[in-house]
Amino acid sequence: MENRWELNKNLAQMLKGGVIMDVTTPEQARIAEEAGACAVMALERIPADIRAAGGVSRMSDPKMIKGIQEAVSIPVMAKCRIGHFAEAQVLQAIEIDYIDESEVLSPADDVYHIDKTKFDVPFVCGAKDLGEALRRINEGASMIRTKGEPGTGDVVQAVRHMRKMMSDIRRLTSCAEDELFDEAKKLQVPYDLVLYVHKNGKLPVVNFAAGGVATPADASLMMQLGAEGVFVGSGIFKSGNPAKRARAIVQAVTNYTDAKLIAELSEDLGEAMVGINEQEIQLLMAERGK
Amino acid sequence: MRIGVLCLQGAFIEHIHMLGSLGAESFEIRQKSDLARSFDGLIIPGGESTVIGKLLGDLGMMDDVRNMITDGMPVFGTCAGLILLARHIENDPHVYLGTMDISARRNAYGRQLGSFACTADMKGIGEIPMTFIRAPYIEKVSGNAETLSVVDGHIVAAREGNQLVTAFHPELTGDTRVHEYFLKMIKH
């Protein structure tokens, strides 16, 4: 198992500096791959549509996911509901490359997350702060992403979560060693994980930004705040020119500190997704699964 | 000695750390202007070959990098780097840099469930730990390319003059010997 977790962390390392894009059809998956996505997230409805449709949102049809696996050569991820280990078993059975135990779908368990150590395929999980991140890692997640607020096109929550996580990490690194026991208690995680963060100044797994990223400048912002890569959900295929926007975001992540290049990349991208401000939304997906 | 590490996407920081632990100076190559700096060797890291290949083109770097390599710049490609250097890819119509006489197979071990770690011999080094992540292997070497390592009947490391490739990721292990081998290649 230890070996499997290492290999699964290693795959996330290969995704760094890249953009993972939500796609709903094989055709979109090909557009994403062609534009330079380092992986795709296969799902029936992108978060903006899940939000608009309401109701219970579940794992996608395996047939639809397989169609996307056949369409592209890059890793394919898919979402299962928080705590729904049977959905995760199904995704493992079709040899998915990464499972996202995601707050975007309706939670299946309001107490327990999936025991991810029982699986051979890797998991990525959302987190709003260091405590959530380390709790998911302790359950076996081999990659973390900020929760942000999916399907809004509003980056404010991803920024809040990334800033919180980074400041939590910085604070831990400056703690005295004998203070770490109490930190572990407060964060509700094992001491060893707290010690790792204290010594290394980073999470023990790769950390991406997600939720509300819609423009090349959004991607640059998240990278400068410390993200190691970016998930773009609704932001691409809800926009006027998905292929062009996708390509621009990919380049913006690679050269995230080159403002001149990002200015060029931001020209003539067409309509960005409309977006909803956080005050206007009824359902806070980020509050699911702590 | 200074090594340029291609930092367009993927696991490049791991190479930089490993070079640092060997006392070799390195810098990040993220765009065309970075190629104008002076350096003695180039590392093309693991990641997604489709992404790195695409960015080499979009950022106008493909021809410059290819010319550097054909002019003799020592280059070390791991995983995606191997695919980018291959003259032919069995299961992909793309050719990227195409400077090395090898034929590669992408995702040759299947999806993530096929990823594995092992130890095996590499010619000129000895037994080393090898980590394969959705890895390619080399279907065949031709011309002046030489096989350096075989695992389960598949070629996983090769060299052709100034070009060194591994299907596995030495930068993900604590073993620095493959990087030392590359630094020696540069010195000679």
Side-chain angles (χ1 to χ4, degrees), chain B residues 10-128:
Chain B
F12 46 79
I13 196 75
E14 290 78 358
H15 280 287
I16 290 172
H17 288 156
M18 194 152 256
L19 290 170
S21 77
L22 292 170
E25 196 190 329
S26 64
F27 72 101
E28 299 185 353
I29 298 175
R30 288 180 183 267
Q31 45 187 267
K32 197 178 165 79
S33 58
D34 296 325
L35 293 169
R37 298 177 62 175
S38 103
F39 55 104
D40 310 295
L42 173 68
I43 287 183
I44 306 179
E48 280 302 319
S49 59
T50 53
V51 182
I52 303 173
K54 164 105 191 132
L55 285 166
L56 276 172
D58 283 358
L59 295 165
M61 301 162 75
M62 189 74 87
D63 291 341
D64 292 1
V65 173
R66 187 184 296 120
N67 291 339
M68 274 179 186
I69 297 168
T70 49
D71 286 348
M73 168 72 74
V75 61
F76 174 24
T78 58
C79 195
L82 177 156
I83 293 163
L84 292 166
L85 290 167
R87 185 148 295 161
H88 178 73
I89 308 170
E90 297 282 336
N91 49 346
D92 191 327
H94 289 97
V95 175
Y96 298 98
L97 295 164
T99 50
M100 190 167 176
D101 250 339
I102 55 172
S103 181
R105 178 172 291 279
R106 285 187 64 201
N107 301 333
Y109 301 92
R111 302 182 187 284
Q112 172 61 6
L113 283 173
S115 294
F116 66 101
C118 67
T119 57
D121 262 328
M122 180 160 163
K123 193 177 169 189
I125 297 179
E127 191 166 274
I128 52 166

Side-chain angles (χ1 to χ4, degrees), chain A residues 209-223:
Chain A
V213 175
T215 67
D218 285 350
S220 162
L221 174 69
M222 296 313 302
M223 293 297 286

Side-chain angles (χ1 to χ4, degrees), chain A residues 17 23 62 79 117 148 176 189 201 211 237 246 289:
Chain A
V23 297
K79 292 181 193 290
T117 63
V189 293
F237 288 100

